[in-house]
Amino acid sequence: MTYAPPGYLCPVDGTRAEVATARWCCPTCGGPWDLDFTPDPSVPLEPAGGPWSLWRYGPVLPLPGEIPISLGEGHTPLVPLTERIHAKLDFLMPTLSFKDRGAVMLVELARRLGPERVVADSSGNAGTAFAAYCARAGLPCEVFVPEGTSEKKTERMRAHGAAVRVVPGGREAAARAARAAADAPGVFYASHVFNPYFLHGTKTYVYEIWERLGGRLPEALVVPVGNGTLLLGAALAVAELSRRGVRPPALIGVQAEAVSPLAAAFAAGGDDAEPVAQRPTLAEGIAIPAPPRARQILAAVRKSGGTIVTVSDDRLRAARADLARRGLSVEPTAAACWAAVSPASPTNPLGSRTAVLPLCGAAAPAGPAGV
């Protein structure tokens, strides 16, 4: 019998659809999909017996069965920053960012569905991850990027064999172009925002922390938030592990002060976020003016007893320089969490709680300007 991957479920209106025939968004409300999938907590989870990749968490992943594609992603180390705060070095992933966690899941889904080509949109790290994993899977890949995207990042995409389409305008213009292409026959849209399989890849970030800490989690997980793909993946894992008796941590989201619709909505007690202006910031990776999953992000943070805070570019610079002095070279967005919770932060939301934060993207080699 042919295995059918778990189908899509709209969190707004309850619409259901099969993965093989569904559009990239809910046809009724136009919003992102959730996955109609809940792992059985009675099934033993013994990752030490699995492969040296995130596929070791097979019992809680939605794509069992076949031998999946892999580049050995996952198992990034935890290193102490202070006595109570550890950093998880996701910039050591195969394409140098946490996006590999979701990309391997989405590309494996595409491989099983057998499209003529895979389409994605990205301003950098996600596009590189999709290009690499499509190369591994033998799938043609096309990545739409906004004008102004770093040439180093587009060169890496092309090196993996992807066709790079530069779109005039900003990040949303690239997304619109990709979605238009996604409606053509034979195309799989690998959207790290709209497709929930991506979130079930990013949730392995928390499963690795749970495994590394001997079956427990810290008191708080501090996560950078733009579209919320890492935070929502973390929330999925926390909920699943809670059903296995693991005490859930608070989720603390960090946004760039210049573009912070979620922090504003959280402070105002709102259930959804109003779009904000796109303003320049060092933390380009989380500068999302209108996150499609804003309602889910706000609900997940509130349910956990957490909060959403902002950091200025000045604090980002200082945090990035501090990490470099500790031997950790990361891109500006990846320094956001340390900017929020380091001992130098004037508004540290952690207090005395233990915490893990991700360093989720590697810095490019420094030019004359240095750090």
Side-chain angles (χ1 to χ4, degrees), residues 329-342:
S329 182
V330 299
E331 63 183 13
T333 300
C337 291
W338 186 232
V341 303
S342 75

Side-chain angles (χ1 to χ4, degrees), residues 54 56-57 73-81 85-93 96-98 101 201-213 217-218 221-222 224 230 323 328 330 334 337 355-362:
L54 61 73
R56 69 199 279 113
Y57 305 106
E73 59 289 324
H75 275 285
T76 56
L78 283 177
V79 299
L81 295 176
I85 303 173
H86 282 67
K88 187 162 173 57
L89 308 190
D90 260 23
F91 64 78
L92 297 178
M93 296 287 275
L96 311 183
S97 89
F98 87 93
R101 296 184 182 277
T202 62
K203 76 181 182 184
T204 60
Y205 169 82
V206 172
Y207 275 97
E208 288 179 14
I209 296 171
W210 164 81
E211 182 183 359
R212 177 67 178 81
L213 296 182
L217 292 173
L221 293 170
V222 187
L230 185 54
L323 288 168
L328 300 166
V330 299
C337 291
V356 172
L357 60 85
L359 297 181
C360 48

Side-chain angles (χ1 to χ4, degrees), residues 29 38 64 71 110 134 185 192 202 279 312 329:
C29 72
T38 302
L71 289 169
C134 281
H192 57 291
T202 62
R279 297 167 58 197
S312 67
S329 182

Side-chain angles (χ1 to χ4, degrees), residues 6-95:
Y8 298 134
L9 171 66
C10 176
V12 175
D13 57 37
T15 298
R16 295 176 184 271
E18 294 184 7
V19 169
T21 57
R23 287 195 73 233
W24 55 268
C25 66
C26 172
T28 306
C29 72
W33 293 110
D34 278 355
L35 200 60
D36 191 9
F37 172 73
T38 302
D40 183 351
S42 69
V43 175
L45 184 56
E46 299 172 345
W52 194 257
S53 72
L54 61 73
W55 295 107
R56 69 199 279 113
Y57 305 106
V60 298
L61 298 178
L63 293 174
E66 303 176 41
I67 298 174
I69 61 167
S70 178
L71 289 169
E73 59 289 324
H75 275 285
T76 56
L78 283 177
V79 299
L81 295 176
T82 70
E83 183 180 354
R84 303 181 69 82
I85 303 173
H86 282 67
K88 187 162 173 57
L89 308 190
D90 260 23
F91 64 78
L92 297 178
M93 296 287 275
T95 76

Side-chain angles (χ1 to χ4, degrees), residues 51-353:
W52 194 257
S53 72
L54 61 73
W55 295 107
R56 69 199 279 113
Y57 305 106
V60 298
L61 298 178
L63 293 174
E66 303 176 41
I67 298 174
I69 61 167
S70 178
L71 289 169
E73 59 289 324
H75 275 285
T76 56
L78 283 177
V79 299
L81 295 176
T82 70
E83 183 180 354
R84 303 181 69 82
I85 303 173
H86 282 67
K88 187 162 173 57
L89 308 190
D90 260 23
F91 64 78
L92 297 178
M93 296 287 275
T95 76
L96 311 183
S97 89
F98 87 93
K99 297 290 177 63
D100 288 0
R101 296 184 182 277
V104 68
M105 192 67 58
L106 264 187
V107 174
E108 173 61 18
L109 174 63
R111 185 183 72 85
R112 297 187 186 194
L113 296 176
E116 294 176 11
R117 63 188 172 118
V118 173
V119 164
D121 57 271
S122 170
S123 57
N125 288 340
T128 301
F130 284 124
Y133 281 94
C134 281
R136 189 71 170 177
L139 292 171
C141 179
E142 186 175 13
V143 184
F144 290 79
V145 302
E147 60 184 350
T149 299
S150 162
E151 285 189 14
K152 290 181 179 178
K153 291 185 175 181
T154 57
E155 285 171 4
R156 289 175 63 200
M157 296 175 203
R158 292 189 178 99
H160 292 306
V164 177
R165 311 298 183 200
V166 179
V167 180
R171 182 68 183 79
E172 186 54 34
R176 286 195 299 269
R179 291 166 192 167
D183 288 330
V187 173
F188 178 85
Y189 180 29
S191 172
H192 57 291
V193 179
F194 278 79
N195 195 303
Y197 276 86
F198 194 91
L199 305 181
H200 282 267
T202 62
K203 76 181 182 184
T204 60
Y205 169 82
V206 172
Y207 275 97
E208 288 179 14
I209 296 171
W210 164 81
E211 182 183 359
R212 177 67 178 81
L213 296 182
R216 61 182 178 86
L217 292 173
E219 294 169 291
L221 293 170
V222 187
V223 186
V225 185
N227 278 311
T229 55
L230 185 54
L231 186 142
L232 289 173
L236 279 172
V238 166
E240 293 169 7
L241 286 167
S242 294
R243 290 190 283 271
R244 294 176 181 267
V246 179
R247 184 176 179 178
L251 299 176
I252 297 176
V254 181
Q255 292 215 282
E257 186 179 83
V259 185
S260 52
L262 296 163
F266 189 89
D271 294 331
D272 204 350
E274 293 294 327
V276 299
Q278 181 74 70
R279 297 167 58 197
T281 175
L282 291 174
E284 294 176 341
I286 52 174
I288 308 298
R293 294 186 183 269
R295 281 184 172 272
Q296 291 176 294
I297 295 166
L298 292 164
V301 172
R302 287 202 177 95
K303 181 180 179 181
S304 76
T307 188
I308 303 177
V309 299
T310 65
V311 292
S312 67
D313 274 12
D314 284 345
R315 284 169 62 190
L316 275 171
R317 288 188 190 93
R320 190 180 181 213
D322 181 62
L323 288 168
R325 286 190 292 269
R326 296 165 183 262
L328 300 166
S329 182
V330 299
E331 63 183 13
T333 300
C337 291
W338 186 232
V341 303
S342 75
S345 172
T347 56
N348 190 329
L350 275 182
S352 61
R353 289 178 290 188

